[in-house]
Amino acid sequence: EAGVAQSPRYKIIEKRQSVAFWCNPISGHATLYWYQQILGQGPKLLIQFQNNGVVDDSQLPKDRFSAERLKGVDSTLKIQPAKLEDSAVYLCASRVEGYGYTFGSGTRLTVV
Amino acid sequence: DQQVKQNSPSLSVQEGRISILNCDYTNSMFDYFLWYKKYPAEGPTFLISISSIKDKNEDGRFTVFLNKSAKHLSLHIVPSQPGDSAVYFCAASSSGSARQLTFGSGTQLTVLP
């Protein structure tokens, strides 16, 4: 079974620029999550999708972050404009009901 | 407001000895607890879990203990191996939160040969 694919692996941008991350979950996994992991902290949930609908985006900074999941499969997370404090690893995870999470390798974002 | 806390940022253990990683939680609605292991440049991988109806779950060298009254869980690794060196995250979820995971800040385990 293929895992959760994320790209790019690394990204360096200047503050106020925009950036997008892509996630391809495991086939058949209806639930998809984006987590933000700041260095020295545990992952923090940004948004949860069920198929192509948003279940919870209460912790997504909506003034600069947006996410979508087209056709209930791939998902993109965008930051515009980026701030220095957005430097983190962005993790995508997918899950099928009754089973645990599978995480991707993440995208490490550095904002300079 | 940290609902899941791992108070030890790091732990060093000699190979062959027991590693004990601790985790405390505050939200009494949590009913499912998990441990994840993370190597550098990789995503967290599931290690072991425990439901709140149990107080112990064992899988090979890994055992998780849950003390609901103290809102505390621990992960025991026996015997510890150098390949166990990684960051270990404790996570918790509740059926009422659509099974979202709340993570602790992690403990870096180093197993010395």
Side-chain angles (χ1 to χ4, degrees):
Chain A
E1 175 182 76
V4 175
Q6 288 189 247
S7 67
R9 289 298 308 274
Y10 305 93
K11 190 75 176 178
I12 301 174
I13 62 172
E14 294 183 352
K15 59 184 179 184
R16 291 187 289 274
Q17 285 187 323
S18 63
V19 64
F21 313 127
W22 174 82
C23 173
N24 178 234
I26 293 175
S27 177
H29 281 200
T31 310
L32 184 147
Y33 309 82
W34 283 101
Y35 279 82
Q36 179 193 56
Q37 186 186 1
I38 293 172
L39 186 65
Q41 300 180 19
K44 186 187 85 171
L45 179 70
L46 291 175
I47 188 167
Q48 176 184 352
F49 292 94
Q50 183 74 18
N51 295 309
N52 61 345
V54 175
V55 173
D56 185 355
D57 63 357
S58 59
Q59 298 184 77
L60 188 73
K62 297 181 192 60
D63 57 333
R64 298 183 301 105
F65 285 65
S66 64
E68 61 181 4
R69 189 181 184 194
L70 299 175
K71 301 180 182 178
V73 182
D74 292 4
S75 178
T76 56
L77 176 69
K78 296 178 182 177
I79 308 175
Q80 181 181 12
K83 293 185 175 182
L84 295 177
E85 59 260 36
D86 298 332
S87 294
V89 175
Y90 291 84
L91 294 162
C92 178
S94 69
R95 190 175 76 91
V96 63
E97 188 62 37
Y99 293 86
Y101 283 50
T102 301
F103 282 88
S105 297
T107 296
R108 179 176 295 279
L109 173 67
T110 303
V111 182
V112 297
Chain B
D1 173 27
Q2 274 192 286
Q3 299 186 64
V4 178
K5 295 181 183 180
Q6 294 177 257
N7 292 317
S8 298
S10 63
L11 174 69
S12 291
V13 171
Q14 209 66 37
E15 181 179 5
R17 305 295 291 268
I18 184 172
S19 296
I20 300 176
L21 294 93
N22 294 303
C23 177
D24 297 294
Y25 63 95
T26 57
N27 188 340
S28 57
M29 299 302 292
F30 288 145
D31 60 5
Y32 196 69
F33 304 88
L34 309 91
W35 285 93
Y36 281 82
K37 178 178 178 179
K38 186 179 183 305
Y39 292 116
E42 294 183 14
T45 56
F46 171 75
L47 194 56
I48 193 169
S49 63
I50 188 167
S51 164
S52 60
I53 63 173
K54 295 186 174 183
D55 55 18
K56 177 182 175 182
N57 188 27
E58 201 169 346
D59 183 2
R61 296 186 297 113
F62 303 92
T63 303
V64 56
F65 295 92
L66 175 62
N67 181 334
K68 284 193 300 270
S69 61
K71 293 191 174 68
H72 177 83
L73 63 155
S74 61
L75 174 68
H76 292 210
I77 306 173
V78 183
S80 301
Q81 300 173 353
D84 296 329
S85 296
V87 176
Y88 289 78
F89 289 102
C90 170
S93 74
S94 64
S95 56
S97 70
R99 288 296 168 200
Q100 295 168 4
L101 294 180
T102 301
F103 284 87
S105 55
T107 297
Q108 171 70 57
L109 173 66
T110 303
V111 180
L112 305 167

